[in-house]
Amino acid sequence: MKPPTPTSYLLLAPLAIVLLVFVLRPPSRAVPDGLGALCARRAGFADVVAAAPPAEASPPQPEPDFSLLVGVLTMPSRRERRDIVRMAYALQPPAPRARVDVRFVFCRVTDPVDAALLAAEARRHGDVVVLDCAENMNDGKTYAYLSSVPRLFASRPYDYVMKTDDDTYLRVAALAEELRGRPREDVYLGYGYAMGGQPMPFMHGMGYVVSWDVASWVAGADEILARNDTLGPEDLMVGKWLNLAGRGRNRYDLKPRMYDLSWDMDNFRPDTVAVHMLKDNRRWAAAFRYFNVTAGIEPSDLYHLP
């Protein structure tokens, strides 16, 4: 038998290279989504994933009829409450033809532990606003919020601005339908109180809406500060500002669709816009059950929930 010639080695070389590639190449791994993908890349893996076929172009979405900013006034220590409130908004169907943004509103965060945890929350969710004020409920936080909104969101103004609390369950689509046919200027809407012969001198602090022009007026109204009218029950104070200045003349009372939950939790309404006084997990759970928040949960062997 003849010894192999140099030409034979040359012909076998490509085959040997191909074999080495298959033997030495580590097994392929699909790159996971989210955090897993980041971890894989940081560990030094450089997997190649085939490009997905181009998705079909979705039809253009219609321009929203109006926009609404919902500011949920809360405090750093109420992390569990914010988790519940975020779920309450995330699991609702979107309001048709409306741009609705929800932001959690704080004053200055001075505790280093709260600051670190809130920074992580802001990075994760992107829905945090921290104002330049001392944390409080009735000592000017609502004024700080309403007067800051026109500056903070000047590049993309809203038609309406809402202030609400973190113990209020707001049904966004229902509120959007209430706003859709309303004027876009000089609006003051919520749970109206009657007092001193006036039908609606102010709106309940559980949640109220003003139009963008009213918020812009608050931002420039030096007389509010001159009278020291930022201190006191915030819902009464807002009504006082508007009444003295003749603002918010388009007033809309959403009682009984906005209401306080009773002690026995037996006064839920199917046409609810907002229900207030959800002060603990038991009351939030009752609201979720009544409004079928978990009705779409998929069956799974991983959990067995009543």
Side-chain angles (χ1 to χ4, degrees):
M1 179 173 155
K2 293 182 181 180
T5 64
T7 304
S8 303
Y9 284 121
L10 291 175
L11 293 173
L12 290 173
L15 178 61
I17 292 171
V18 171
L19 288 173
L20 283 172
V21 168
F22 278 96
V23 171
L24 298 181
R25 183 180 183 270
S28 63
R29 292 172 299 273
V31 177
D33 294 329
L35 183 60
L38 295 176
C39 292
R41 293 187 189 110
R42 287 172 183 166
F45 298 115
D47 292 330
V48 178
V49 180
E56 293 184 8
S58 57
Q61 297 299 313
E63 285 294 314
D65 295 338
F66 65 92
S67 55
L68 167 67
L69 172 67
V70 179
V72 182
L73 272 60
T74 183
M75 300 176 69
S77 59
R78 296 178 183 167
R79 295 181 194 91
E80 183 181 15
R81 176 79 57 81
R82 284 193 298 283
D83 286 343
I84 293 173
V85 176
R86 281 194 181 98
M87 284 194 297
Y89 286 114
L91 294 175
Q92 292 186 41
R97 302 193 320 279
R99 175 169 69 96
V100 181
D101 295 330
V102 178
R103 298 291 180 266
F104 291 88
V105 181
F106 305 80
C107 284
R108 287 189 299 270
V109 183
T110 55
D111 181 270
V113 173
D114 284 339
L117 294 175
L118 190 58
E121 198 173 320
R123 184 180 179 191
R124 172 66 182 87
H125 298 288
D127 59 3
V128 166
V129 175
V130 180
L131 304 173
D132 185 18
C133 55
E135 191 60 76
N136 68 91
M137 184 173 74
N138 286 319
D139 289 336
K141 184 171 182 177
T142 296
Y143 171 79
Y145 166 62
L146 289 176
S147 63
S148 297
V149 160
R151 172 180 54 84
L152 295 174
F153 299 97
S155 62
R156 198 181 183 198
Y158 293 86
D159 293 301
Y160 301 106
V161 178
M162 183 175 197
K163 174 265 165 185
T164 189
D165 295 333
D166 63 5
D167 64 342
T168 296
Y169 179 50
L170 174 66
R171 300 179 74 206
V172 175
L175 176 61
E177 287 309 307
E178 283 289 341
L179 291 172
R180 192 175 306 281
R182 306 295 187 190
R184 300 291 186 256
E185 295 182 346
D186 214 23
V187 169
Y188 185 27
L189 173 148
Y191 177 116
Y193 270 117
M195 179 183 290
Q198 299 183 64
M200 278 187 290
F202 71 96
M203 303 292 174
H204 191 305
M206 72 168 74
Y208 45 83
V209 176
V210 298
S211 49
W212 183 263
D213 63 299
V214 172
S216 298
W217 170 80
V218 171
D222 294 336
E223 60 266 34
I224 295 174
L225 296 175
R227 292 192 307 261
N228 202 27
D229 270 351
T230 63
L231 307 180
E234 54 91 13
D235 45 7
L236 284 171
M237 292 295 102
V238 172
K240 180 181 178 181
W241 307 339
L242 303 187
N243 294 335
L244 289 177
R247 301 279 176 168
R249 288 168 295 182
N250 294 315
R251 301 194 176 191
Y252 303 99
D253 185 2
L254 296 192
K255 290 197 308 293
R257 299 181 67 196
M258 296 179 74
Y259 55 94
D260 286 332
L261 185 62
S262 68
W263 179 259
D264 295 326
M265 303 185 295
D266 59 358
N267 63 325
F268 287 112
R269 298 174 53 95
D271 62 347
T272 295
V273 171
V275 54
H276 181 233
M277 297 294 288
L278 306 185
K279 298 287 188 184
D280 56 41
N281 291 355
R282 184 175 64 96
R283 294 170 80 81
W284 276 101
F288 283 4
R289 284 193 296 270
Y290 181 84
F291 294 110
N292 295 321
V293 171
T294 60
I297 189 170
E298 296 290 336
S300 172
D301 292 335
L302 301 179
Y303 48 76
H304 302 280
L305 298 172

